[in-house]
Amino acid sequence: MPDSPSDFIRDMVRADVAAGKHGGKVVTRFPPEPNGHLHIGHAKAICVDFGVAKEFGGRCHLRMDDTNPTTEDVSYVEAIKRDVKWLGFDWGEHLYYASDYFQRFYDLAEKLVERGRAYVCDLPDEEFGRSYRGTITEAGKDSPYRTRTPAENLELFRGMRDGKFKDGEKVLRAKIDMSSPNMKMRDPPLVRIKHAHHYRTGDSWCIYPLYDYAHCLEDSFEGVTHSLCTMEFESARELYDWVISATEVPHVPQQTEFARLNLTYTVMSKRRLLQLVEQKRVSDWDDPRMPTIAGFRRRGYTPESIRDFIGRVGVAKNLSTVDVALLESCVRDDLDRRSPRVMCILKPLELVIESFPENEVEELEAPHWPAGTEPGADIAENLRGSRKLPFSRTLLIDRDDFAEDPPAGWKRLAPGREVRLRHGYFVTCTRVEHEGGQVSRVICTHDPATRGGIASDGAKNVGTIHWLSAAHAKDVEVRVYDRLFTTENPGSDESTDWLLELNPASLTVVRAKGEPCLAQAEPSARFQFERVGFFTADPDGKPGAPVFNRTVALKDAWARQTAKAAPTKAAPLVSQPATTEDKKPAAPLSPEANALVTAHGVTAGEARVLVQDAVLGALFAAAVAAPEGEALAKQIASVLVNDLLGEMRAKKIDALPFDGKALVELVQLGQAGTISTKQSKDVLAEMIASGKPARAIVEAKGMKQIASADALGPIVDQVLLANADVVARYRGGNVNVFGAIVGLVMKQTKGQGNPKVIADLVKEKLA
Ligand code: ATP
Ligand code: MG
């Protein structure tokens, strides 16, 4: 298989095929439970399951794992099928439902009972868990019902099936070993009573199999050879094998686990996604801010870009959270070839060209594609070549492209400055008009010798901006999306409510102006709004009243914004670079950087730096190799990239007087709460200067962290009193200022306060 990527799963399958295991066949399955929509984590499982089968000439089944009657629904089944197809995978004839096997599960369970391998237990699950199951260090003890005879058990089990008992009154347990070191093997439940209506089998059953009993049998019934699942099932593998062997089913499938995919700035559990939908925090499962396949599709992501992303993340066993910026960069790379260029103004400002005749409209010709780009086959005919752009005396430009008092290095329009109107003319600003203290109009003259935006005398060193003829511009609604959460790992701090981490500015609706061709865009048509980003027409739009979703900005405005630490300022709607020409798509992650992401869970951004910077890269490798370093790999990477890199650049240092072990010590001091984040930065600066070990510096300076609520409480009170206006904004619903309040308290403690304790106090006092 020359094109097949290499990873531990593919290596295993390759070896199995070569050895003729399972008759040399490869059969996999993707087994979603139809209790929610698929998300990007499922996309990974889909790409692995279907991908491996395809690469090795096998097949992959789509199986609805619908053994739990209370949460499943047929609408989810249809959505799942649609999403898998959209991602580009095909199960052919092989669509299965676990609920079709209920009778077979039952028959095999009777066999287990007859053979004395399972028994009916009357202990409620909680009681069994509390006093019989034992703990990781202590063996459990036998249920008093464990010695029932097979005949007795069979009668009771049939009674369970016939509805003679209430929910939870009895359960069928495997009879394995209450002292097994694997807790999963301590007489686990196999079949439970649940008087509930099932969306497919109706009221035929009042007993339902548990996952650990059903899943392996489903795999066996279908002839699955390689059952690939995520790491949380690792400890269940022993039980998987036990059930296969105890039921004596003829086909023996084999389970292998790989790491789940997690993504920054979002949540992935279906339970939480459901909560967002039910609480109307998002419009629905397909809200373009959701990490669901349906959400990404509506937002304008392509299946190709998602598959590319999954491929770059790779398959491994260590858990990692992947930077969403990597996904966005895959999307940008792909959309570049699929998106005709058009102009759209998000914050219109009038520009009048006094030198251009009134009532005259000139038709300029503008290509939809940069030179050398071949539009994809799916691009509509009218968008393949170029379009006519009306040019007139009154134009619109973006407010962000004009500065009355321009900062140094400003390349766009300003009083007295010249700029190129893309595909238009060069114009020079002669005067500005104001209204209500704001610039209301920019007055310019144009250079008629520069028609089409081409300088008559060759190159002119000025910026290029986009524009529209005011009379010809169409109204378009633009929905600009930002991260759904403000934190990288929402909900990782279990003591706070994860919903508080929602980004209140995740959606901005903009009344914009666009080129005439946008007015008739079909839903899901894609465009690049020049200098702004990639956009996709939303189904909410109507002919003449189009709606566009921002799929992704041209460059990562978020990273630049947070780097400047301006949390309350909205991200700029127009990206910074003055021309499209100087825009380069983010480079794909190199295999070396990718390896760091998967091996250590560092972010893509950190991995890039560590691969590019030899000093930092070597220090990182030494630190994770030092005792206790590996467990702190993420924190080490963060200190290196966020703190050390800045210090080294600022002071132009290219060699460091300390080693990886010393770095681990510093990170440990922070992790143990001995020093605060701010103090950790000070210690690092001192380590660079003196080469002394972190602990010695901390002791010499008598540094300590203030972590007691008693000490911090009065400071918090004082800050809340002194900042009544900010507090009022918070109480008025602007949860965004919460971080600012915590920051004010931190400042009062001179950086010695423990941020977590402070956050808890602030929250408590504001409640
Ligand atoms: P969640 O925990 O989000 O509710 P789930 O695991 O319960 O999801 P299922 O429908 O049971 O959802 O998942 C179907 C398959 O997808 C399983 O094989 C599971 O291992 C896999 N899967 C689910 N989430 C991820 C993820 N984040 N990364 C990779 N695979 C995943
Ligand atoms: Mg599951």
Side-chain angles (χ1 to χ4, degrees), residues 18 87 163 221 235 254 286 297 433 457 469 531 589 624 715 743:
L87 276 174
F221 297 161
S235 64
Q254 162 196 348
D286 69 348
R297 176 170 53 229
E433 290 177 5
D457 53 354
S469 164
R531 302 183 56 239
L589 211 55
V624 294
I715 305 177

Coordinates of all heavy atoms in Angstrom, one line a residue, residues 18 87 163 221 235 254 286 297 433 457 469 531 589 624 715 743:
A18 N -0.3 -9.4 6.2 CA 0.9 -10.2 5.7 C 0.9 -11.6 6.3 O 1.2 -12.6 5.6 CB 2.1 -9.5 6.0
L87 N -18.5 13.5 4.5 CA -17.0 13.4 4.7 C -16.3 12.6 3.6 O -15.1 12.6 3.5 CB -16.7 12.8 6.1 CG -16.8 13.7 7.3 CD1 -16.6 13.0 8.5 CD2 -15.7 14.8 7.2
G163 N -40.8 -9.2 31.7 CA -41.3 -8.0 32.3 C -41.8 -8.2 33.7 O -42.7 -7.4 34.2
F221 N -20.6 -10.7 15.1 CA -21.7 -11.1 14.2 C -21.4 -10.6 12.8 O -21.7 -11.2 11.8 CB -23.0 -10.4 14.6 CG -23.5 -10.9 15.9 CD1 -24.5 -10.1 16.6 CD2 -23.1 -12.1 16.5 CE1 -25.0 -10.5 17.9 CE2 -23.6 -12.5 17.8 CZ -24.5 -11.7 18.4
S235 N -9.3 -0.5 29.2 CA -9.5 -1.4 30.3 C -10.6 -2.4 30.1 O -10.8 -3.4 30.7 CB -9.7 -0.7 31.6 OG -10.9 0.0 31.6
Q254 N -10.8 -8.2 17.0 CA -9.7 -7.8 17.9 C -9.8 -6.3 18.1 O -9.8 -5.5 17.1 CB -8.4 -8.3 17.2 CG -7.2 -7.6 17.6 CD -6.1 -7.9 16.4 OE1 -6.3 -8.8 15.5 NE2 -5.0 -7.2 16.5
D286 N -26.3 22.6 14.0 CA -25.5 23.0 12.8 C -25.1 24.5 12.9 O -24.8 25.0 11.9 CB -26.2 22.6 11.5 CG -27.5 23.5 11.3 OD1 -27.9 24.2 12.3 OD2 -28.0 23.5 10.2
R297 N -19.9 22.2 8.1 CA -20.4 22.2 6.8 C -21.1 23.5 6.5 O -20.9 24.1 5.5 CB -21.4 21.0 6.6 CG -22.0 21.0 5.2 CD -22.8 19.7 4.9 NE -23.7 19.4 6.0 CZ -23.8 18.2 6.6 NH1 -23.0 17.2 6.3 NH2 -24.7 18.0 7.6
E433 N -14.3 64.9 5.5 CA -15.5 65.6 6.1 C -15.9 64.8 7.3 O -15.8 63.6 7.4 CB -16.7 65.6 5.1 CG -16.4 66.5 3.9 CD -17.5 66.5 2.9 OE1 -18.5 65.8 3.1 OE2 -17.3 67.2 1.9
D457 N 3.8 54.4 -14.1 CA 5.2 54.5 -14.1 C 5.8 53.3 -13.4 O 6.8 53.4 -12.6 CB 5.7 55.8 -13.5 CG 5.1 55.9 -12.1 OD1 4.2 55.1 -11.7 OD2 5.4 56.9 -11.4
S469 N -18.6 50.5 -5.9 CA -19.3 51.7 -6.3 C -20.6 51.8 -5.5 O -21.4 50.8 -5.5 CB -19.7 51.6 -7.8 OG -20.7 52.5 -8.1
R531 N -9.1 40.5 1.1 CA -8.5 41.1 2.3 C -9.3 40.8 3.6 O -8.9 41.3 4.7 CB -8.3 42.6 2.1 CG -7.4 42.9 0.9 CD -7.2 44.4 0.7 NE -6.6 45.0 1.9 CZ -7.1 46.0 2.6 NH1 -8.3 46.5 2.2 NH2 -6.5 46.5 3.6
L589 N 1.8 22.2 9.1 CA 2.7 21.7 10.2 C 3.6 20.7 9.6 O 3.2 19.7 8.9 CB 1.8 21.1 11.3 CG 2.3 21.3 12.7 CD1 2.6 22.7 13.0 CD2 1.3 20.7 13.6
V624 N 12.0 17.3 28.8 CA 11.1 16.2 28.8 C 11.8 14.8 29.1 O 11.2 13.9 29.6 CB 10.1 16.0 27.6 CG1 9.2 17.2 27.5 CG2 11.0 15.8 26.3
I715 N -8.7 42.0 49.9 CA -8.2 42.7 48.7 C -9.2 42.6 47.6 O -9.5 43.6 46.9 CB -6.9 42.0 48.2 CG1 -5.8 42.0 49.3 CG2 -6.3 42.7 47.0 CD1 -4.5 41.3 49.0
G743 N -7.8 40.2 37.1 CA -6.5 40.9 36.8 C -6.2 42.1 37.7 O -5.1 42.3 38.2

